[in-house]
C-alpha cells in the first residue's frame, strides 16, 4: 500500500495518483501546475475535492507536511516564460501569510530571485527576532547563500542594474551579519509545491 498519495489540481490529467512518477508525468513542464502530496489516500481525495489554495493555505490537510516544517517559512521566486522579470516572496508555511514580496525586476534569472529571497528572509528574521527554519526549493541559491556570493553568469547591463545593486547589498549583508536560521531544501516530492510558489510555472 502506498505511504503517500499525490494530488494534481492543475496538470495534464488532474486527479489523485499513488506514485510520484505518475503525478510527475502530469505536472512536469506544465504551465501553472498545482500539486501536492498527502499522507494517505483519504486525505488526498479530500484535498482533490477542494482547492490547491485551501490545501496549501492552512486547512487540516496541511498535516501532510511534517509539523517541524509547518512551523517554518518558505521563499520562492518567479520568472514567467522568457520575460526576464523576476520577483520573489516569503510566506509563513502554516497559514500561507505573505511576509514580504519584491519585484518585478528586469533582466533577472530564477536563481538570482531565489538567492535574493533567502537573504531578504534572513534579514527580516534577524530584525524581527524570528526563530524558525527557512525553506527554499533552489539548491543553487542555498549554495550561493552559504558561499556569501551569487555566482551568476548573467552579465550586468543598464537594463538590470537595479537587480545587481540588490545582489551587491545581499552579498554585503551576508558578509557583515551572523545568523542562526537553518536554510533548508524544500522537499517538493514529499511535501508538494513550495507554499511560496507563485503558481506561474
Amino acid at each position: 500500500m502506498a505511504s503517500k498519495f499525490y494530488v494534481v489540481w492543475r496538470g495534464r490529467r488532474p486527479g489523485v495518483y499513488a506514485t510520484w512518477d505518475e503525478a510527475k508525468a502530469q505536472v512536469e513542464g506544465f504551465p501553472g501546475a498545482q500539486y501536492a502530496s498527502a499522507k494517505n489516500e483519504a486525505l488526498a481525495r479530500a484535498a482533490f475535492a477542494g482547492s490547491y489554495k485551501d490545501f496549501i493555505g492552512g486547512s487540516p490537510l496541511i498535516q501532510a507536511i511534517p509539523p517541524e516544517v509547518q512551523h517554518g517559512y518558505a521563499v520562492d521566486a518567479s520568472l514567467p516564460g522568457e520575460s526576464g522579470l523576476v520577483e520573489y516572496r516569503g510566506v509563513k508555511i502554516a497559514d500561507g501569510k505573505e511576509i514580504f514580496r519584491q519585484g518585478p525586476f528586469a533582466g533577472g534569472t530564477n536563481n538570482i530571485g531565489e538567492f535574493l529571497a533567502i537573504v531578504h528572509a534572513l534579514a527580516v528574521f534577524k530584525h524581527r527576532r524570528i526563530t524558525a527554519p527557512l525553506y527554499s526549493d533552489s539548491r543553487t541559491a542555498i549554495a550561493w547563500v552559504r558561499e556569501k556570493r551569487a555566482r551568476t553568469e548573467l552579465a550586468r547591463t543598464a537594463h538590470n542594474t537595479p537587480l545587481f545593486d540588490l545582489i551587491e547589498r545581499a552579498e554585503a549583508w551576508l558578509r557583515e551579519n551572523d545568523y542562526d536560521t537553518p536554510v533548508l531544501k524544500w522537499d517538493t516530492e514529499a511535501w508538494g509545491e513550495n507554499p511560496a510558489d507563485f503558481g506561474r510555472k
Side-chain angles (χ1 to χ4, degrees):
M1 189 177 196
S3 58
K4 272 200 182 89
F5 282 76
Y6 300 87
V7 186
V8 176
W9 289 272
R10 184 181 297 169
R12 293 178 183 86
R13 290 181 60 193
V16 174
Y17 295 88
T19 69
W20 169 239
D21 285 343
E22 290 174 309
K24 184 178 179 181
Q26 312 310 317
V27 301
E28 189 170 50
F30 188 91
Q34 293 180 345
Y35 58 98
S37 65
K39 67 180 183 179
N40 59 47
E41 186 175 6
L43 283 175
R45 296 207 175 278
F48 183 61
S51 74
Y52 171 75
K53 286 185 178 179
D54 287 342
F55 184 87
I56 296 300
S59 81
L61 297 174
I62 199 88
Q63 62 189 294
I65 299 174
E68 65 274 17
V69 178
Q70 291 180 37
H71 295 298
Y73 292 74
V75 295
D76 204 6
S78 173
L79 185 73
E82 301 297 322
S83 68
L85 294 173
V86 63
E87 59 185 311
Y88 61 85
R89 68 179 187 144
V91 304
K92 190 173 182 180
I93 293 170
D95 59 12
K97 182 178 179 182
E98 193 172 83
I99 58 170
F100 63 81
R101 179 190 290 239
Q102 296 291 311
F105 302 101
T109 68
N110 196 66
N111 282 333
I112 288 172
E114 300 271 8
F115 170 76
L116 292 173
I118 295 172
V119 180
H120 191 128
L122 292 174
V124 168
F125 280 24
K126 185 161 189 177
H127 178 70
R128 298 185 187 175
R129 298 182 181 177
I130 295 172
T131 56
L134 178 64
Y135 293 87
S136 166
D137 55 19
S138 172
R139 293 185 189 279
T140 297
I142 293 171
W144 287 358
V145 169
R146 190 166 46 245
E147 297 168 12
K148 305 182 189 298
R149 181 181 173 191
R151 295 187 177 275
T152 180
E153 296 180 0
L154 185 68
R156 182 171 188 152
T157 66
H159 188 55
N160 63 19
T161 290
L163 194 61
F164 271 83
D165 289 345
L166 282 177
I167 293 170
E168 290 172 1
R169 285 173 54 191
E171 291 174 337
W173 190 92
L174 289 170
R175 290 193 301 270
E176 296 164 7
N177 289 271
D178 295 322
Y179 59 89
D180 297 324
T181 303
V183 181
L184 307 171
K185 176 69 172 63
W186 180 263
D187 189 341
T188 303
E189 180 174 340
W191 308 330
E193 188 59 79
N194 181 337
D197 182 74
F198 286 78
R200 301 173 184 163
K201 292 186 179 72

